[in-house]
Amino acid sequence: QVQLVESGGGLVQPGGSLRLSCAASGTIFSINVMGWYRQAPGKQRELVATWTRWGTTTYADTVKGRFTISRDYAKSSIYLQMDSLKPEDTAVYFCNAAVTSTVDDRNLALWGQGTLVTVSA
């Protein structure tokens, strides 16, 4: 099976922190790019942060300096550490991965089901 499963969302007060996890399962693909997106009610889905196999990371201007993306190869997971959270960070956060099949070299895009982050006093 090939899937992405997010966890770590919840309710947090402004200024608080959360760490989101995205676990990738399966042995038939290699990961090229992984990232986090978020979608707030009434808004389009936006890219929050990305990690690439070349060791580069990018962040949206709205979260730069507050969020950190990282990769754990041993656990086949990617994390998003979120600090100094603001009410405007409230959204459903989705994990995404661009992968290449190790069986037939097909390029695939995988999405998790999302985890809700609510920042409110």
Side-chain angles (χ1 to χ4, degrees):
Q1 296 180 349
V2 179
Q3 63 178 12
L4 301 178
V5 180
E6 300 105 329
S7 63
L11 175 64
V12 64
Q13 295 183 345
S17 298
L18 285 175
R19 189 177 77 159
L20 305 183
S21 299
C22 176
S25 64
T27 59
I28 64 172
F29 63 89
S30 60
I31 300 173
N32 302 313
V33 180
M34 295 191 74
W36 288 94
Y37 289 76
R38 68 183 182 185
Q39 187 167 23
K43 297 183 178 180
Q44 293 184 322
R45 185 172 298 183
E46 66 172 335
L47 179 62
V48 176
T50 61
W51 170 95
T52 75
R53 64 179 180 180
W54 300 279
T56 60
T57 58
T58 63
Y59 299 92
D61 289 340
T62 51
V63 307
K64 194 172 185 178
R66 299 187 297 119
F67 291 9
T68 303
I69 189 171
S70 61
R71 176 90 162 98
D72 186 332
Y73 287 93
K75 296 182 178 180
S76 297
S77 299
I78 191 168
Y79 304 97
L80 184 68
Q81 177 66 43
M82 305 184 295
D83 299 319
S84 301
L85 284 163
K86 304 175 180 179
E88 50 263 44
D89 294 319
T90 296
V92 176
Y93 285 72
F94 299 90
C95 180
N96 167 259
V99 305
T100 300
S101 172
T102 58
V103 177
D104 57 12
D105 291 331
R106 289 183 301 150
N107 294 317
L108 305 172
L110 306 177
W111 287 91
Q113 295 300 308
T115 184
L116 177 63
V117 172
T118 302
V119 184
S120 176

